[in-house]
């Protein structure tokens, strides 16, 4: 029983996934209930996480392969929130797609459970299993649509994902050979004791691991799948991939590097790898986004740039001493802020494209006159993605850039700020199209209720994190400190 | 006894052949076979490390079992998607699945 209690938040989500399938089989006339079964499971999961916060008693489960600490619980909240928003945003779309409703929600929930396991994994084996638990449902979801583009997106995502898994595993195998253990604490000890012997082998292993996770984080040079999959996959799924998969990958990489390969363990070497990847990702994503005419493709490229921004926090891993946690807490806060912001943008896109039947940015002209609420929220999210106050994105960028300055990486911050200027051009360009240009037709419209709710929550989150970031910042800081407890 | 390095070299060669296949083959089924080769190279690596460096706990061998299991699941799914593509397009060539540019 104690074991189940320790993985309670994931357990609730998995139960709901099973229940969704049972409801579909037993009550075929009550299919409308299925999304609410999913939401109930997520609510139970959040409640279970809250009970762990209240108990404030953190421990490891299953022989230390999983750990329930503040860091994991913070991400439980983030992933449950993401899944709830995605379920709400999917209802309309899934009903129109008309088949396999229960399976759709079950897959979303299964991969959410995978994300949660990823955030709490502390062993290479459980990291790998959790990664696949979260990835395999996503491959199916990307290919869910009936059209050829969706099949193509699913195939590309799966083939490239499988290659990335193989590369990641090769890195893990070398790491295991180097340290003779798969447990992160043991890896930290072995690497620290190993000294400079076989250093090149260690760096090769770590580079392969970064490459494998880089695919999930969608950073250059492992980004080639992003625009195609975002464009081809159903929009709710693209929203899910853009925040869930990226967030979970950052969660596990941050734990892996800060716990297993942290300060004093060649961290200068990976700090430099992260810094270069971050700089290249930001620049590539922003430059490619400028020329896009399809909004989902543009959001795909912008998410590559945002991944680069988040990675600036990882580059700050080389900061020593008490400020060691700055980079990690920056990553954590950025993932939370990015989740609200990008979900808001994608849900607004879902609502608009359901109505106008197009993903072309030119067709968004005059959206402010047709649906002020949707245009307003989309503009707010774009402002937040740019990083302008008073939004969540501003604090997120400020925080990670600050950690990079503490790590003596002023050059990285300069590149980051220049990139923010470039990104302002295309983000605010969309806003300009919506507010200034004349609409093709005057008919006004309102989004459906379920989309309105999730849109409202996302917008409230963006504003709340922007106006009063204090509570979440300190929660992120506490979460990052549990990573440093190992030392 | 065969030294550990031989196993690692074999694994490295297998992995490279698999990676070459992924890049050079255009048929989705052959790409999947190449990915299998890469995963088998990984398993070989794990088992060799477990046998030589960690003979008491053999964590690596356990890891290899998980790798095999997950690889089977992944390939099953991949073949399903390829069959769907084949029904849509009567092809399993990934170059033909390029409405959107790569």
């Amino acid at each position: 029983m104690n074991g189940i209690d320790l993985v309670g938040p994931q357990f609730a989500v998995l139960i709901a996934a099973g229940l969704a399938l049972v409801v579909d089989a037993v009550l075929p006339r009550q299919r409308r209930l299925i999304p609410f079964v999913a939401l109930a499971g997520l609510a139970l999961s959040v409640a279970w996480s809250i009970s762990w916060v209240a108990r404030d008693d953190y421990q490891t489960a299953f022989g230390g392969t999983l750990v329930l600490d503040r860091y994991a619980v913070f991400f439980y909240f983030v992933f449950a929130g993401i899944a709830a928003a995605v379920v709400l945003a999917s209802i309309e779309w899934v009903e129109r797609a008309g088949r396999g409703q229960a399976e759709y929600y079950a897959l979303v929930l299964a991969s959410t459970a995978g994300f949660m396991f990823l955030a709490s994994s502390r062993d290479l084996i459980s990291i790998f299993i959790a990664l696949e638990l979260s990835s395999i449902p996503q491959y199916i979801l990307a290919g869910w649509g009936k059209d050829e583009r969706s099949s193509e997106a699913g195939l590309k995502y799966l083939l490239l994902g499988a290659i990335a898994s193989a590369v990641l595993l090769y890195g893990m195998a070398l790491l295991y050979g180097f340290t003779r253990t798969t447990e992160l604490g043991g890896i930290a000890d072995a690497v620290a004791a190993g000294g400079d012997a076989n250093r090149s082998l260690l760096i090769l292993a770590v580079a392969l691991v970064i490459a494998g996770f880089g695919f999930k984080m969608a950073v250059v040079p492992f980004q080639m799948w992003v625009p195609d999959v975002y464009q081809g996959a159903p929009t709710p799924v693209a929203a899910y991939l853009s925040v869930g998969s990226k967030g979970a990958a950052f969660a596990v990489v941050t734990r892996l590097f800060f716990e297993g390969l942290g300060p004093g363990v060649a961290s200068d070497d990976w700090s430099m790898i992260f810094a270069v990847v971050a700089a290249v990702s930001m620049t590539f994503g922003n430059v490619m986004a400028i020329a896009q005419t399809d909004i989902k493709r543009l959001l795909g490229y912008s998410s590559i740039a945002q991944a680069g921004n988040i990675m600036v926090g990882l580059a700050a891993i080389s900061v020593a001493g008490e400020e060691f946690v700055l980079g990690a807490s920056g990553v954590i806060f950025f993932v939370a802020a990015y989740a609200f912001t990008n979900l808001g943008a994608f849900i607004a896109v879902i609502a608009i494209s359901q109505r106008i039947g197009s993903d072309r940015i030119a067709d968004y002209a005059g959206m402010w006159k047709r649906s002020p609420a949707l245009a307003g929220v989309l503009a707010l999210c774009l402002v937040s993605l740019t990083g302008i106050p008073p939004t969540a994105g501003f604090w997120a960028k400020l925080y990670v850039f600050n950690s990079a300055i503490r790590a003596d990486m002023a050059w990285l911050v300069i590149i980051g700020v220049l990139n923010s200027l470039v990104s302002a051009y295309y983000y605010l360009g969309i806003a300009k199209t919506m507010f200034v240009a004349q609409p093709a037709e005057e008919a006004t419209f309102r989004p459906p209720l379920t989309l309105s709710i999730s849109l409202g929550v996302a917008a409230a989150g963006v504003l709340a994190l922007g106006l009063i970031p204090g509570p979440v910042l300190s929660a992120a800081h506490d979460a990052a400190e549990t990573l440093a407890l190992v030392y | 006894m065969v030294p550990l390095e031989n196993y690692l070299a074999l694994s490295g060669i297998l992995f490279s052949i698999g990676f070459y296949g992924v890049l050079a083959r255009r048929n989705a089924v052959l790409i999947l076979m190449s990915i299998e080769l890469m995963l088998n190279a990984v398993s070989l690596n794990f088992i060799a490390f477990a046998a030589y460096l960690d003979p008491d706990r053999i964590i690596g061998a356990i890891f290899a079992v998980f790798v095999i299991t997950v690889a089977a699941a992944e390939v099953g799914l991949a073949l399903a998607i390829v069959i769907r593509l084949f029904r849509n397009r009567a092809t399993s060539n990934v170059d033909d699945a390029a409405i959107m540019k790569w």
Side-chain angles (χ1 to χ4, degrees):
Chain A
M1 190 59 212
N2 189 34
I4 288 180
D5 192 19
L6 283 164
V7 293
Q10 293 99 318
F11 190 66
V13 173
L14 284 174
I15 290 286
L19 214 55
L21 295 173
V22 171
V23 169
D24 186 50
V26 178
L27 301 168
R29 283 163 187 276
Q30 303 294 322
R31 290 228 170 88
R32 299 183 64 86
L33 286 177
I34 295 169
F36 299 99
V37 171
L39 289 175
L42 291 166
L44 178 62
S45 167
V46 168
W48 214 320
S49 302
I50 290 174
S51 92
W52 275 111
V53 174
R55 278 181 268 179
D56 203 30
D57 166 34
Y58 300 106
Q59 42 191 307
T60 57
F62 303 119
T65 54
L66 295 178
V67 59
L68 196 109
D69 54 10
R70 286 207 180 98
Y71 182 81
V73 172
F74 185 94
F75 278 106
Y76 291 172
F77 286 119
V78 173
F79 294 138
I82 289 172
V86 170
V87 167
L88 278 173
S90 303
I91 292 175
E92 292 272 318
W93 185 84
V94 175
E95 267 180 18
R96 268 191 298 132
R99 69 209 153 92
Q101 295 193 23
E103 288 85 348
Y104 179 91
Y105 295 111
L107 288 170
V108 169
L109 291 177
S111 75
T112 302
F115 293 154
M116 291 174 163
F117 277 121
L118 264 181
S120 62
S121 288
R122 201 183 203 169
D123 187 290
L124 295 184
I125 298 181
S126 54
I127 286 175
F128 169 64
I129 302 294
L131 188 73
E132 293 299 328
L133 175 60
S134 65
S135 300
I136 290 178
Q138 287 178 345
Y139 302 148
I140 309 174
L141 288 172
W144 198 261
K146 281 178 186 154
D147 55 332
E148 289 180 2
R149 283 183 180 214
S150 185
S151 306
E152 185 184 326
L155 183 69
K156 282 180 181 171
Y157 193 30
L158 182 131
L159 287 180
L160 294 172
I163 297 164
S165 295
V167 172
L168 172 69
L169 281 170
Y170 203 81
M172 283 180 169
L174 292 182
L175 207 54
Y176 166 65
F178 190 79
T179 61
R180 302 178 190 200
T181 177
T182 53
E183 193 254 326
L184 292 192
I187 288 175
D189 295 341
V191 173
D196 280 343
N198 292 329
R199 188 172 198 81
S200 53
L201 177 66
L202 178 65
I203 290 178
L204 173 66
V206 170
L208 289 171
V209 169
I210 293 176
F213 283 121
F215 170 82
K216 288 281 157 202
M217 294 187 280
V219 291
V220 178
F222 314 105
Q223 86 301 344
M224 57 292 210
W225 60 278
V226 175
D228 288 352
V229 173
Y230 283 18
Q231 189 188 353
T235 317
V237 175
Y240 190 47
L241 298 184
S242 76
V243 292
S245 161
K246 199 184 292 278
F250 273 105
V252 66
V253 168
T254 308
R255 188 190 285 281
L256 176 63
F257 279 87
F258 279 75
E259 263 191 41
L261 301 158
V265 191
S267 55
D268 283 344
D269 289 327
W270 10 110
S271 177
M272 204 27 114
I273 299 179
F274 284 134
V276 170
V277 171
V280 176
S281 298
M282 286 191 283
T283 313
F284 175 85
N286 283 323
V287 169
M288 292 299 286
I290 291 175
Q292 299 305 318
T293 54
D294 181 298
I295 191 146
K296 282 162 77 181
R297 227 176 150 81
L298 180 136
L299 285 173
Y301 280 112
S302 111
S303 84
I304 296 170
Q306 298 290 342
N309 277 325
I310 306 178
M311 202 167 240
V312 172
L314 284 177
I317 191 173
S318 57
V319 183
E322 286 183 6
E323 291 182 344
F324 167 60
V325 297
L326 262 183
S329 59
V331 171
I332 298 168
F333 183 79
F334 205 125
V335 168
Y338 173 76
F340 277 119
T341 310
N342 223 38
L343 274 177
F346 261 108
I347 293 167
V349 167
I350 293 170
I352 292 174
S353 66
Q354 263 182 9
R355 170 72 192 201
I356 66 174
S358 161
D359 289 329
R360 286 169 45 81
I361 295 170
D363 294 336
Y364 281 53
M367 199 47 68
W368 169 249
K369 295 203 179 92
R370 301 188 61 190
S371 181
L374 283 175
V377 172
L378 183 52
L380 175 73
C381 293
L382 293 172
V383 164
S384 177
L385 284 171
T386 319
I388 300 172
T391 55
F394 168 70
W395 294 104
K397 273 194 181 167
L398 189 69
Y399 217 57
V400 291
F401 286 167
N402 176 38
S403 68
I405 286 181
R406 298 292 176 87
D408 291 329
M409 289 193 178
W411 63 273
L412 189 57
V413 176
I414 292 169
I415 293 178
V417 172
L418 288 177
N419 265 296
S420 296
L421 292 178
V422 175
S423 71
Y425 172 75
Y426 63 84
Y427 285 136
L428 301 182
I430 302 174
K432 181 170 160 258
T433 308
M434 291 194 300
F435 284 89
V436 179
Q438 283 301 316
E441 54 176 311
E442 295 290 333
T444 57
F445 64 94
R446 294 162 68 85
L449 180 66
T450 46
L451 282 178
S452 304
I453 295 173
S454 51
L455 208 53
V457 171
V462 171
L463 275 179
L465 285 184
L467 294 173
I468 30 171
V472 180
L473 272 180
S474 65
H477 195 77
D478 288 348
E481 266 180 345
T482 57
L483 294 184
L485 283 183
V486 184
Y487 299 97
Chain B
M1 201 165 158
V2 185
L4 176 60
E5 284 75 16
N6 292 15
Y7 288 103
L8 299 188
L10 175 62
S11 155
I13 292 167
L14 276 179
F15 193 83
S16 309
I17 293 174
F19 198 71
Y20 170 78
V22 164
L23 296 176
R25 295 291 171 188
R26 296 291 85 191
N27 185 310
V29 178
L30 290 178
I31 293 180
L32 283 174
M33 289 171 67
S34 305
I35 292 172
E36 280 299 290
L37 209 52
M38 290 166 79
L39 289 172
N40 285 342
V42 169
S43 301
L44 183 63
N45 235 344
F46 271 121
I47 294 165
F49 279 133
Y52 281 81
L53 302 176
D54 186 24
D56 304 327
R57 299 184 300 164
I58 56 164
I59 301 175
I62 299 166
F63 209 143
V65 173
F66 279 110
V67 173
I68 294 165
T69 317
V70 171
E74 222 162 40
V75 168
L77 174 60
L79 286 176
I81 293 180
V82 171
I83 288 173
R84 221 175 94 136
L85 184 79
F86 189 78
R87 284 195 183 140
N88 271 344
R89 293 283 192 79
T91 177
S92 55
N93 187 321
V94 290
D95 283 340
D96 293 340
I99 314 172
M100 301 169 288
K101 52 184 183 284
W102 275 84

